[in-house]
């Protein structure tokens, strides 16, 4: 048990410096907008200098909240707690099969020639008028098939409820939400998913090949869609603040 935890701790950093940039950008954006609003509001009853100080203090307070409080609470405290959870005996089967814990906190590895990713998801739902946090696993596997089988909706026809749970097939990867989502048996679920692949004449696809083909097409499509939803807010030198509308 201790050895299992140490392996993942060595592979996964708790603090990720590259993530600080996101908090800094959001903090600057929120600080400038809120500080400017407070500055204009303060002009009603205060001098220009006092109003400027009020806006400046508000701006730096927002930046502090995002970059210090927000970053360390999300990227250290909650992340450390999540890593500890993913090191539990629940995931021992993945450890035995040499799956690695990705820095983005999902498992990845090859099992019986198929490349898998396993995500621990959480969702807040209302049960008896009370919010309840539900956790479940999503098992993702990548596959290829003979192009002759593709009749435009080949993967749609495969998607649906199976004896192991609900499986969605799209873009050469399948997503399984197991029926035993509360405490899944990874070995049984992954073996069953591979069996479904064999029935459907699907064969293994490496993650490298998927990323260089299907992945690049999906990324290009996503970037084009994001570009259409992006609005420029402020650009001063290297400071480039944009707003992306929700889909």
């Amino acid at each position: 048990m201790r050895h299992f935890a140490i392996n993942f701790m060595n592979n996964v950093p708790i603090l990720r410096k590259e993530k600080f940039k996101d908090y800094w950008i959001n903090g600057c954006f929120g600080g400038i907008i809120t500080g400017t609003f407070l500055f204009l509001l303060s002009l009603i009853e205060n001098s220009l200098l006092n109003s400027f100080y009020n806006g400046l203090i508000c701006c730096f307070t927002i930046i502090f909240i995002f970059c210090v409080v927000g970053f360390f609470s999300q990227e250290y405290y909650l992340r450390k707690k999540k890593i500890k959870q993913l090191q539990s005996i629940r995931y021992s089967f993945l450890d035995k099969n040499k799956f690695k814990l990705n820095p983005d906190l999902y498992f990845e590895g090859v099992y019986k020639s198929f490349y898998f990713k396993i995500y621990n998801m959480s969702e807040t739902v209302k049960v008896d008028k009370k919010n309840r946090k539900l956790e479940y696993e999503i098992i993702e596997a990548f596959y290829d098939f003979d192009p002759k089988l593709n009749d435009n909706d080949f993967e749609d026809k495969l998607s649906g409820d199976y004896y192991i749970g609900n499986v969605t097939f799209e873009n050469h990867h399948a997503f399984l939400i197991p029926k035993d989502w509360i405490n899944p048996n990874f070995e049984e679920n992954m073996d069953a998913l591979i069996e479904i692949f064999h029935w459907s004449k699907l064969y293994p696809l490496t993650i490298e090949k998927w990323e260089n083909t299907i992945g690049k097409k999906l990324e290009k499509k996503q970037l084009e869609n994001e570009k259409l939803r992006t609005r420029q807010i402020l650009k001063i030198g290297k400071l480039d603040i944009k707003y992306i509308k929700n889909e």
Side-chain angles (χ1 to χ4, degrees):
M1 181 74 173
R2 182 178 298 176
H3 179 67
F4 178 66
I6 291 174
N7 277 340
F8 284 125
M9 282 298 290
N10 288 339
N11 293 331
V12 181
I14 296 178
L15 286 177
R16 296 174 293 172
K17 294 179 181 179
E18 66 275 10
K19 284 293 180 180
F20 184 76
K21 182 180 178 182
D22 296 333
Y23 289 84
W24 171 252
I25 292 174
N26 290 328
C28 286
F29 174 72
I32 291 171
I33 297 299
T34 309
T36 301
F37 176 76
L38 183 61
F39 165 71
L40 295 174
L41 189 65
S42 185
L43 282 173
I44 299 173
E45 296 182 354
N46 295 282
S47 66
L48 179 64
L49 186 60
N50 286 336
S51 298
F52 174 75
Y53 284 146
N54 289 337
L56 193 64
I57 291 170
C58 177
C59 178
F60 280 109
T61 300
I62 296 295
I63 292 175
F64 176 82
I65 291 172
F66 271 88
C67 296
V68 179
V69 180
F71 177 75
F72 280 100
S73 63
Q74 294 293 323
E75 291 294 319
Y76 181 78
Y77 176 73
L78 292 179
R79 181 176 166 82
K80 184 179 180 181
K81 186 177 179 181
K82 185 72 173 182
I83 290 173
K84 185 177 180 180
Q85 176 189 348
L86 295 175
Q87 294 168 346
S88 69
I89 196 67
R90 175 188 178 112
Y91 301 97
S92 59
F93 172 77
L94 302 178
D95 180 55
K96 289 176 183 177
N97 285 274
K98 298 181 180 179
F99 274 63
K100 292 183 179 180
L101 186 57
N102 187 281
D104 289 331
L105 303 189
Y106 62 83
F107 293 99
E108 58 182 341
V110 176
Y111 179 67
K112 294 186 177 179
S113 299
F114 284 90
Y115 179 81
F116 280 86
K117 290 183 179 180
I118 290 88
Y119 303 86
N120 174 267
M121 308 296 290
S122 62
E123 186 176 346
T124 302
V125 297
K126 278 195 173 182
V127 180
D128 296 329
K129 297 182 180 181
K130 293 182 180 181
N131 289 331
R132 182 184 173 191
K133 185 179 178 181
L134 296 180
E135 292 195 1
Y136 57 96
E137 311 291 339
I138 292 181
I139 299 174
E140 179 184 13
F142 295 74
Y143 57 81
D144 208 348
F145 52 83
D146 189 333
K148 295 178 182 178
L149 294 175
N150 190 1
D151 57 357
N152 295 323
D153 59 352
F154 169 70
E155 291 177 301
D156 287 338
K157 291 177 180 178
L158 291 176
S159 299
D161 290 323
Y162 289 80
Y163 64 97
I164 53 170
N166 183 270
V167 187
T168 301
F169 292 81
E170 61 179 7
N171 297 314
H172 293 253
H173 53 160
F175 300 88
L176 163 65
I177 300 179
K179 282 186 177 179
D180 55 342
W181 55 272
I182 295 178
N183 189 24
N185 184 314
F186 290 107
E187 183 176 12
E188 288 183 3
N189 283 295
M190 292 164 71
D191 282 337
L193 188 56
I194 291 174
E195 189 176 0
I196 293 171
F197 287 167
H198 290 159
W199 293 344
S200 308
K201 298 181 180 179
L202 307 177
Y203 51 87
L205 176 66
T206 65
I207 187 61
E208 292 79 15
K209 185 176 180 181
W210 186 90
E211 289 177 344
N212 290 328
T213 53
I214 298 97
K216 282 188 175 180
K217 290 180 182 178
L218 293 176
E219 185 179 3
K220 183 180 179 181
K221 186 177 180 181
Q222 183 180 2
L223 289 173
E224 289 174 350
N225 181 269
E226 187 176 290
K227 188 176 180 181
L228 292 173
R229 296 184 288 109
T230 300
R231 297 291 181 270
Q232 187 81 46
I233 301 296
L234 180 67
K235 185 173 178 61
I236 304 174
K238 292 184 179 181
L239 180 61
D240 188 8
I241 299 175
K242 297 177 181 179
Y243 169 71
I244 302 176
K245 290 183 178 180
N246 293 326
E247 293 186 82

